[in-house]
Each structure stands twice: as C-alpha cells, then as structure tokens.
Amino acid sequence: MFIAKYKNDIINALGVERGSERDALYRGYSAENLLVCHCCGRFLEYRNGEKRSAYFAHTDNSDRDCAYMVFSERSRELWELKKRLMERLSSLGYDVKVDVRLTPDYWTDLVVTLPDGGKAAIDLAQTFKNTHTDTADAQKYSAYEVLYSSQGITPVVILQPKQSVTLATRKRHIDGLKRYVAGRGRQAVWYDSEEGLLHICDSSIDSEFVMGMDGFDIDSSGNITGGFADFLEKERIEREKAAKEQAERDAELLRQRMERKSARRA
C-alpha cells in the first residue's frame, strides 16, 4: 500500500528513494508509531528495502482484513506503471494524488488536477472483459463513470495486459477496451511494458498512435495528448534502420550459403 495517514495529512510512499529526505522522514514517523491506515485506522509501518520499493504495511499483519490492502495487492507491473505515470505528470507541474478513495471499497490509482482546474482519474487495469458472455470490467467502469461525473472528474482507463497471458487473451482484453470507449468520445489506451510504449486509439477506433512515457500528457477531457508526431517520426526511423540491418543480415546469410554450395560442387 502506498499511502498512509500522518496526523491530518495523507503521505505517499510511491517512488520514494532509499536514503532520500522523505525516506528518512517516513522512517522516523514509523519508528514513533505515527502512521495509521486511512481505511481501517490500524497502525502502519514504513518499509523500503533493497529488493522492494517503498510501501506501508499493517504492523499487526492484518493486511487481509483491510479493504485498501486488498486494492493495493496489484501486480508489480502495475506498480511500476503507476510510478512512471505519477512521475511524468508531476514533472509537468500537475497536482497528482495516488490511491484516492472514491467509495468505501474503491480507490482510483491516480487523480490529476490540471492547470485549468479540471480533474482526471486514471484507473489501471490488467483485464478488460467486455464480451457478450462476460461484461464484468465494462459494467464496473460504467458504474464508476457515474461516480466520477458526479464529482466533476473525467475517467481514464489504461490497460496493461499481463505479460504471462497468451497473445489471444491480450488481444481480447484490448478489443474489449476498444468496444467500451467506442461512441463515448474517449480514447482506448493500453501500455506495453516490453516496448515501453503507450498505444492510443481515438473514440472512433479509426486510428492508433504510439508514444513513449516522456511524451505523455493529458487534458481535462481525459484525452491523452503529447508528442505523437515526434515520437512516430523517431519510430519510423528506428523501424527503417532495423529493416535495413535485417536485410543486410539476410544477404550475408545467403552469400554464405551460396559459398558453401559452390565449395561442395567443387
């Protein structure tokens, strides 16, 4: 879990580096038993080890009894994506809050306040079930959209399929997200951690863009904006370079086979 209550403030451990000023401050709060869970009210301790990034945990090991802890038990893949999004949006000067509680049993991963006062809620997901037989995820996010709208918040879902699933399953979840946003005037966004790229489809699903995290931005309508053109040009150059190198390798292999064939004939 990434947030804890210190007196009347909510503090965030996401991205805190070992040895930093915040790291020392949180260790001091933890040593004095000043950290409590904003959800269940039990005491928390701050941890930041060599193998696992900074987080909070219940001191009495009662994590399973806390609704926030259940939400927090996300995959490490989503933790890393959340951290990268938070760091990128914070670098743009936006106010970014992590794990914001919207209902007694639901938190959104990031709430971003933009310069014009608009707010966007970013939910991270690893599945998006939206078929004739299983609409679980689509129904869930549709219900939360009403909640977001009542608070003047624009919802954004970013899908990061698990690397362990098959390509067919991955495609099914991406297609489910595309169907969900179609006609809603919003984009379908998913992240490929192997490529390090965000894929964005517009609401008509007629076009797809890719971009790196360093070009990521968002507007008050919940649309992803940023350096599409520059990044796409870079991608084009890199693809052409890779294709040229592959062609050279293929030509060299062909030359070697021809030489061996000529040697056998001789």
Side-chain angles (χ1 to χ4, degrees), residues 2-6 9-13 22 26 29 35 56:
F2 293 120
I3 62 174
K5 191 173 182 180
Y6 167 69
D9 297 324
I10 296 294
I11 61 175
N12 168 27
R22 283 175 64 200
Y26 292 177
Y29 294 162
L35 302 176
F56 300 106

Side-chain angles (χ1 to χ4, degrees), residues 163 191-197:
Q163 293 298 325
Y191 179 70
D192 190 312
S193 58
E194 288 187 346
E195 298 176 336
L197 301 178

Side-chain angles (χ1 to χ4, degrees), residues 181-199:
V181 302
R184 291 173 180 259
R186 300 215 313 274
Q187 300 163 324
V189 186
W190 66 97
Y191 179 70
D192 190 312
S193 58
E194 288 187 346
E195 298 176 336
L197 301 178
L198 285 159
H199 294 248

Side-chain angles (χ1 to χ4, degrees), residues 136-188:
D137 292 311
Q139 289 178 342
K140 178 179 71 174
Y141 286 111
S142 181
Y144 289 134
E145 276 194 42
V146 177
L147 177 63
Y148 288 134
S149 298
S150 69
Q151 299 185 27
I153 300 174
T154 302
V156 180
V157 179
I158 298 181
L159 175 67
Q160 182 181 349
K162 294 180 180 179
Q163 293 298 325
S164 58
V165 301
T166 65
L167 290 176
T169 299
R170 181 187 182 90
K171 184 178 184 302
R172 187 165 64 250
H173 290 308
I174 292 173
D175 288 344
L177 179 60
K178 286 182 178 181
R179 285 194 299 273
Y180 178 75
V181 302
R184 291 173 180 259
R186 300 215 313 274
Q187 300 163 324

Side-chain angles (χ1 to χ4, degrees), residues 231-249:
F231 190 81
L232 288 171
E233 177 63 14
K234 179 182 176 183
E235 280 289 285
R236 183 188 66 77
I237 293 171
E238 290 180 351
R239 284 197 300 269
E240 289 180 354
K241 180 181 177 181
K244 181 180 179 181
E245 291 174 348
Q246 184 61 50
E248 290 174 351
R249 287 193 294 270

